[in-house]
């Protein structure tokens, strides 16, 4: 039997650090190769192999995959929503070419499985805002959302046409304490905890009643691994699954934080990210993920807030 050997690309980002550590626990430290453009993240140091990699360099990526006998690739490198709006052509180029490089090498080398995350950003102002269904109008208006939607189509295409076993989730905004967020529209929900603890106040760049789908990182890591571990026969969606846990507004998270820090005060100064958030769903219907491979979230706003304050 072939032994699993995993490559994580973008391993030093908000998701990558925690996912790499979780995969190392499951598959053995030496069997999970972490890679990124950046210097190795402190939390990864000494936990397993690390390689400096620009995923845009297809030749180098190909050599790395062959040299390490890689059987599974997790591609997390991307330009996120808020950063993408500052340089749309760069975001398109990186988000698309990185995926095409990975999918094409996966096809050529018969890689067992590929993971690539999509996002709630695929939806746009014409999608239903509440309980946004898996299959609905998808007209993204940010370059990030456009690149994610195109990426979903490429994933399904490589699966149907070439049999590449690629799997994907439309992550909501992710909240974590181990590694900092990387320039997304939901970053406020991470910053607010640190500011509450250090300064007892926070100025939100989204308005008080902006509801967005959110998830605590332990749930996101578990969802990712459960999807990748699921029997291929259970995966009916080869573009990307809606994935959901909770939905809240800046006002609601502030109220929850006040239960832990009564003097905490929030103010609102919406900036360009407000327009991005306004085009995204308020909440998502992820019933297909629940039915197909048994997804079940564990953390709601209350439980997540308590855990964040325990750890930051
Ligand atoms: P992040 O920005 O924190 O991390 C991305 C990592 O990729 C960084 O460490 C960066 O150095 C690396 N990278 C960038 N360009 C690279 C290149 N050319 N070669 C190699 N590495 C490169 O992002 P994240 O939040 O960890 O997101 C990971 C994935 O999940 C992305 O595809 C993102 O779109 C998706 N996602 C994230 C969220 C969220 O809330 N964090 C929500 C939905 C989807």
């Amino acid at each position: 039997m072939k032994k699993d050997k995993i490559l994580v690309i973008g391993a030093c980002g908000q998701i990558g650090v925690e996912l790499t550590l979780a995969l190392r626990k499951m598959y053995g430290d030496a069997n999970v190769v972490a890679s990124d453009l950046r210097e190795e993240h402190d939390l990864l140091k000494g936990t397993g192999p690390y390689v400096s990699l620009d995923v845009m360099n297809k030749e180098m990526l190909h050599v790395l995959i062959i040299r390490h006998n890689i059987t599974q690739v997790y591609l997390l490198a991307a330009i996120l929503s808020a950063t993408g709006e500052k340089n749309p052509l760069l975001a398109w180029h990186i988000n698309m070419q990185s995926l095409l490089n990975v999918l094409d090498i996966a096809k050529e080398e018969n890689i067992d499985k590929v993971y690539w995350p999509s996002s709630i950003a695929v939806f746009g102002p014409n999608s239903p805002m509440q309980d946004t269904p898996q299959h609905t109008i998808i007209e993204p208006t940010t370059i990030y959302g456009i690149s994610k939607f195109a990426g979903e189509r490429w994933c399904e295409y490589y699966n149907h046409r070439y049999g590449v076993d690629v799997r994907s989730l439309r992550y909501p905004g992710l909240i974590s304490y181990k590694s900092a967020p990387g320039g997304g529209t939901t970053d406020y929900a991470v910053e607010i905890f640190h500011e509450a603890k250090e300064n007892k106040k926070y100025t939100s760049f989204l308005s008080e009643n902006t509801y967005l789908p959110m998830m605590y990182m332990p749930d996101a890591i578990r969802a990712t691994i459960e999807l990748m571990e699921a029997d291929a026969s259970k995966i009916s969606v080869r573009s990307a699954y809606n994935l959901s846990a909770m939905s809240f507004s800046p006002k609601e998270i502030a109220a929850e934080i006040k239960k832990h820090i009564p003097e905490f005060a929030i103010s609102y100064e919406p900036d360009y990210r407000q327009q991005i958030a306004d085009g995204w769903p308020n909440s998502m219907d992820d019933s297909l993920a629940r039915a197909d491979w048994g997804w079940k979230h564990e953390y709601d706003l209350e439980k997540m807030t308590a855990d964040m304050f325990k750890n930051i």
Side-chain angles (χ1 to χ4, degrees):
M1 206 175 82
K2 203 156 81 164
K3 204 164 186 254
D4 287 308
K5 196 85 196 283
I6 296 174
L7 174 65
V8 182
I9 303 168
C12 295
Q14 191 195 5
I15 301 171
V17 169
E18 297 203 37
L19 188 60
T20 301
L21 293 173
L23 289 169
R24 283 184 173 158
K25 238 183 221 165
M26 282 181 68
Y27 289 92
D29 293 347
N31 294 321
V32 181
V33 180
S35 71
D36 202 294
L37 265 186
R38 300 194 223 178
E39 247 180 58
E40 188 174 17
H41 194 283
D42 279 350
L43 290 174
L44 295 181
K45 282 182 183 156
T47 69
Y50 186 78
V51 179
S52 175
L53 170 78
D54 181 353
V55 68
M56 302 298 278
N57 185 337
K58 190 176 176 187
E59 236 170 88
M60 198 174 143
L61 174 66
H62 203 154
V63 167
L64 182 71
I65 284 175
I66 293 173
R67 188 181 296 153
H68 288 269
N69 298 312
I70 296 298
T71 61
Q72 291 188 30
V73 177
Y74 286 72
L75 170 58
L76 304 172
I79 304 282
L80 270 54
S81 57
T83 312
E85 289 310 290
K86 291 186 184 154
N87 196 340
L89 289 182
L90 180 77
W92 171 258
H93 180 54
I94 294 200
N95 292 357
M96 290 298 35
Q97 200 55 50
S98 57
L99 177 61
L100 292 175
N101 286 352
V102 168
L103 287 175
D104 215 46
I105 295 170
K107 175 188 111 194
E108 228 169 285
E109 299 302 330
N110 284 318
I111 297 288
D112 288 348
K113 285 180 208 170
V114 174
Y115 179 76
W116 169 84
S118 184
S119 159
I120 55 167
V122 295
F123 298 111
N126 296 327
S127 313
M129 290 278 170
Q130 298 295 344
D131 292 328
T132 309
Q134 176 75 37
H135 301 290
T136 184
I137 294 171
I138 294 194
E139 294 174 353
T141 51
T142 61
I143 199 62
Y144 176 70
I146 294 170
S147 71
K148 287 295 183 189
F149 185 45
E152 288 187 5
R153 298 287 87 219
W154 276 111
C155 287
E156 194 184 274
Y157 184 85
Y158 264 77
N159 176 262
H160 289 181
R161 174 114 195 240
Y162 305 117
V164 174
D165 188 348
V166 51
R167 305 175 182 202
S168 178
L169 298 169
R170 289 172 180 155
Y171 288 136
L174 300 179
I175 295 138
S176 63
Y177 58 87
K178 284 191 187 157
S179 182
T185 303
T186 52
D187 290 6
Y188 93 86
V190 178
E191 293 168 7
I192 195 169
F193 284 102
H194 296 280
E195 291 296 314
K197 193 175 170 206
E198 279 154 38
N199 302 317
K200 318 275 181 258
K201 60 181 179 15
Y202 179 66
T203 303
S204 168
F205 58 75
L206 297 182
S207 64
E208 60 183 329
N209 290 319
T210 307
Y211 281 83
L212 287 169
M214 299 280 189
M215 180 174 282
Y216 196 33
M217 190 61 87
D219 270 345
I221 299 296
R222 190 168 51 79
T224 306
I225 291 174
E226 283 176 10
L227 172 73
M228 288 297 274
E229 292 284 299
D231 196 275
S233 64
K234 293 195 169 160
I235 313 293
S236 71
V237 174
R238 288 298 184 163
S239 49
Y241 279 98
N242 280 10
L243 186 76
S244 168
M246 58 183 119
S247 164
F248 57 78
S249 62
K251 192 176 168 183
E252 281 184 2
I253 192 173
E256 194 58 39
I257 286 173
K258 272 188 184 200
K259 291 184 191 167
H260 298 260
I261 303 177
E263 63 274 41
F264 175 67
I266 186 164
S267 55
Y268 303 93
E269 278 176 27
D271 65 14
Y272 69 101
R273 289 168 279 194
Q274 183 65 45
Q275 205 186 343
I276 302 178
D278 286 344
W280 289 357
N282 298 338
S283 60
M284 299 243 284
D285 174 0
D286 63 351
S287 46
L288 212 53
R290 290 173 194 263
D292 279 5
W293 45 276
W295 166 240
K296 218 168 164 237
H297 71 277
E298 191 188 328
Y299 287 89
D300 58 13
L301 177 58
E302 191 183 351
K303 197 169 170 190
M304 173 186 79
T305 303
D307 201 66
M308 282 294 283
F309 280 124
K310 220 190 288 162
N311 286 290
I312 60 171

